[in-house]
Amino acid sequence: MERRCTGSEVKGVSTGTTILAAIYDGGVVIGSDSRASIGGEYVSSKTINKVIQVHDRIFCCMSGSLADAQAVTKAAKFQLSFHRFMERPPLVIAAATIMKELCYKNKEDLQAGFITAGWDHRHGPQVYVVSLGGMLVSQPVTIGGSGSTYIYGYVDAKYKPNMSREECLQFATNALALAMGRDNVSGGVAHLAVISETGVEHVVVPGNKLPRFNHE
Amino acid sequence: MSSIGTGYDLSASTFSPDGRVFQVEYAMKAVENSSTAIAIRCKDGVVFGVEKLVLSKLYEEGSNKRIFNIDRHVGMAVAGLLADARSLSEVAREESSNFRMNYGHDIPLKHLSDRVAMYVHAYTLYSAVRPFGCSFILGSYDKDDGPQLYMVDPSGISYMKDMTCRELVKEVAKIIYIVHDEVKDKAFELELSWVGEVTNGRHVLVPKDVREEAEKFAKDSLEEEDDSDEDNM
């Protein structure tokens, strides 16, 4: 399989992707598409899971080089498992800081960005973005990946703080559907996880069940 | 009262025939012989008090602190060899700093206490070094876990130990005044610090006016007790 790699593209398998996370009243929704591609042409996997659980109530979404992203999330998951020895589950900021340290210290070699979202007893639902070079920022709603460029308008217009769980889930599904509809390297199914104090719920929306918009 | 472990007490890497490590026990004596340090936990914070013996009139007030700040939210009061205690406070500070760098938030007190206790314990294993001759009390307050108190002694054990903070400050001052032995040691300075809801989770020295009020309360209650003793006679 020929791989055409331009300067701006990721070498090897990339998660040209759409990922997002949003806080609602009492929890957080994190989601992604499921397409992995090579060179922007060949779809190497239609059903890849980019939403990784790193702890009971903490999830990470991957973007960029799939190999780098998987390596970082596996390392972070390993480090977080030590936290089980302490009295309480780890804070979401601890997970996000671990990922940030890995990205920042190895920025020469890695090409991966993440969204970390979860719920903890101290600060409730939180969303953190760890970008390519290792910047760590907390936001109420965030989108990432190549597909995100097509939905900034939608997210800016439609996101409201303190939405209900159903509203937020619908918002996230719509956003993913819109991005997957326009970005050639995002597609497949929409993987979503809803995290709150009471637990985690996984929602998978297959491609043919995604919301359709007027012109389709 | 003291037992001499002839021959078995030359290094920390030697057990005595009855299973004791004398060097560690001697280290604890250094703590026993030092002046008092107290920390008391109340429902909304922790108060520390230290009886700081003033060895020379030339010392400035507030010098030779025996209560240390570890990160923003943890206080450490020490008893024993002050030089050993100072170096341990640097160890505790480094642990807190590394934790914050790796995990992005304040170090939980239990974790800090375990890490410093492990460090202290390591010095009881080898003949090339001597055990630390100090015990210390670590205390902190946060909204989730409330006030907590841990103590670490020269053997490297760390173990855990209700009024409001404001009232407690006066009681701690009173205890230090009572415990101070007028005959054995002359002058002393009372060092007081607190961490709790009243300071928003930050460990700080008690402000001057509160300290003076506490010292006045302590001195007054001592006089009262003296008076009542005379009446009984």
Side-chain angles (χ1 to χ4, degrees):
Chain A
M1 180 65 225
E2 213 183 282
R3 278 188 225 157
R4 227 184 297 140
C5 297
T6 67
S8 60
E9 281 173 26
V10 169
K11 288 205 195 83
V13 180
S14 129
T15 60
T17 185
T18 310
I19 51 177
L20 54 71
I23 298 180
Y24 67 87
D25 183 20
V28 58
V29 171
I30 187 169
S32 77
D33 71 310
S34 69
R35 180 173 292 179
S37 56
I38 301 185
E41 290 183 339
Y42 169 67
V43 175
S44 62
S45 171
K46 290 183 268 189
T47 53
I48 196 157
N49 185 14
K50 302 178 202 178
V51 182
I52 307 291
Q53 182 164 23
V54 293
H55 206 268
D56 294 350
R57 298 265 191 289
I58 309 178
F59 282 71
C60 275
C61 266
M62 320 191 267
S63 71
S65 151
L66 190 51
D68 291 350
Q70 281 190 342
V72 172
T73 47
K74 281 202 163 68
K77 188 171 177 180
F78 174 66
Q79 278 197 46
L80 278 173
S81 66
F82 297 165
H83 264 73
R84 283 181 186 274
F85 297 161
M86 294 204 267
E87 281 149 0
R88 279 209 151 106
L91 301 183
V92 185
I93 189 163
T97 307
I98 290 172
M99 312 220 34
K100 181 262 284 180
E101 284 291 299
L102 288 165
C103 289
Y104 183 71
K105 295 255 160 70
N106 299 298
K107 63 161 90 183
E108 319 295 331
D109 306 316
L110 292 174
Q111 225 180 337
F114 304 90
I115 295 178
T116 306
W119 184 94
D120 65 47
H121 60 275
R122 196 183 276 195
H123 299 296
Q126 299 143 76
V127 169
Y128 294 93
V129 178
V130 179
S131 67
L132 227 50
M135 177 187 79
L136 173 61
V137 153
S138 168
Q139 293 178 315
V141 63
T142 191
I143 51 180
S146 56
S148 67
T149 52
Y150 305 103
I151 51 172
Y152 274 104
Y154 178 76
V155 170
D156 286 345
K158 288 293 183 177
Y159 177 76
K160 304 185 305 284
N162 294 324
M163 285 191 278
S164 73
R165 185 186 168 284
E166 286 63 37
E167 281 177 311
C168 194
L169 200 48
Q170 189 60 50
F171 160 79
T173 316
N174 287 348
L176 284 172
L178 286 166
M180 293 196 272
R182 286 293 184 180
D183 185 26
N184 65 326
V185 286
S186 298
V189 311
H191 282 295
L192 294 142
V194 183
I195 311 159
S196 64
E197 182 176 3
T198 46
V200 174
E201 192 200 327
H202 293 277
V203 177
V204 175
V205 185
N208 55 353
K209 299 273 180 11
L210 283 173
R212 287 169 182 271
F213 296 90
N214 301 342
H215 50 277
E216 281 176 45
Chain B
M1 178 234 120
S2 52
S3 48
I4 305 187
T6 337
Y8 299 110
D9 60 349
L10 296 176
S11 82
S13 64
T14 311
F15 275 107
S16 74
D18 53 347
R20 293 151 76 177
V21 181
F22 279 104
Q23 279 296 309
V24 174
E25 294 189 21
Y26 295 162
M28 301 212 230
K29 293 257 193 318
V31 175
E32 279 173 38
N33 292 339
S34 111
S35 62
T36 317
I38 314 177
I40 306 189
R41 186 177 81 155
C42 59
K43 66 170 193 258
D44 64 342
V46 175
V47 178
F48 299 86
V50 169
E51 178 201 4
K52 222 169 41 165
L53 296 178
V54 176
L55 297 168
S56 153
K57 290 205 175 63
L58 296 172
Y59 283 156
E60 265 185 29
E61 191 191 333
S63 64
N64 277 345
K65 291 216 178 314
R66 284 178 49 190
I67 302 183
F68 302 98
N69 238 319
I70 313 292
D71 205 329
R72 289 181 295 204
H73 61 300
V74 176
M76 174 170 152
V78 304
L81 300 177
L82 192 47
D84 287 8
R86 286 213 183 119
S87 105
L88 278 174
S89 76
E90 282 304 311
V91 168
R93 283 170 183 158
E94 217 179 296
E95 285 290 336
S96 308
S97 166
N98 285 337
F99 186 92
R100 196 181 273 281
M101 201 162 68
N102 289 328
Y103 299 110
H105 63 92
D106 303 350
I107 187 168
L109 190 63
K110 179 172 194 311
H111 188 66
L112 174 62
S113 165
D114 286 346
R115 297 286 300 183
V116 184
M118 268 199 300
Y119 190 88
V120 169
H121 176 247
Y123 278 71
T124 67
L125 299 171
Y126 309 104
S127 59
V129 294
R130 66 162 173 80
F132 285 94
C134 61
S135 282
F136 50 94
I137 311 175
L138 291 165
S140 100
Y141 172 85
D142 75 62
K143 281 201 214 86
D144 297 318
D145 300 319
Q148 300 161 75
L149 211 49
Y150 282 87
M151 189 163 129
V152 179
D153 72 11
S155 68
I157 303 180
S158 96
Y159 38 110
M160 244 205 169
K161 300 210 180 217
D162 243 345
M163 273 186 193
T164 66
C165 250
R166 291 202 144 261
E167 293 154 8
L168 195 55
V169 173
K170 293 194 265 194
E171 293 300 320
V172 170
K174 184 171 155 199
I175 295 175
I176 299 256
Y177 268 85
I178 292 175
V179 158
H180 176 69
D181 187 345
E182 279 291 337
V183 176
K184 195 163 66 105
D185 311 303
K186 295 275 165 134
F188 82 102
E189 192 188 317
L190 174 63
E191 201 175 325
L192 280 174
S193 72
W194 56 2
V195 58
E197 225 179 297
V198 63
T199 65
N200 256 329
R202 294 209 174 197
H203 173 252
V204 289
L205 287 179
V206 165
K208 194 152 179 278
D209 52 340
V210 180
R211 182 163 59 86
E212 282 171 359
E213 192 195 329
E215 284 191 281
K216 185 171 175 304
F217 171 82
K219 287 185 188 142
D220 289 346
S221 45
L222 279 185
E223 273 173 26
E224 265 176 34
E225 285 181 17
D226 287 342
D227 288 342
S228 66
D229 281 343
E230 281 174 24
D231 285 346
N232 285 338
M233 280 167 50

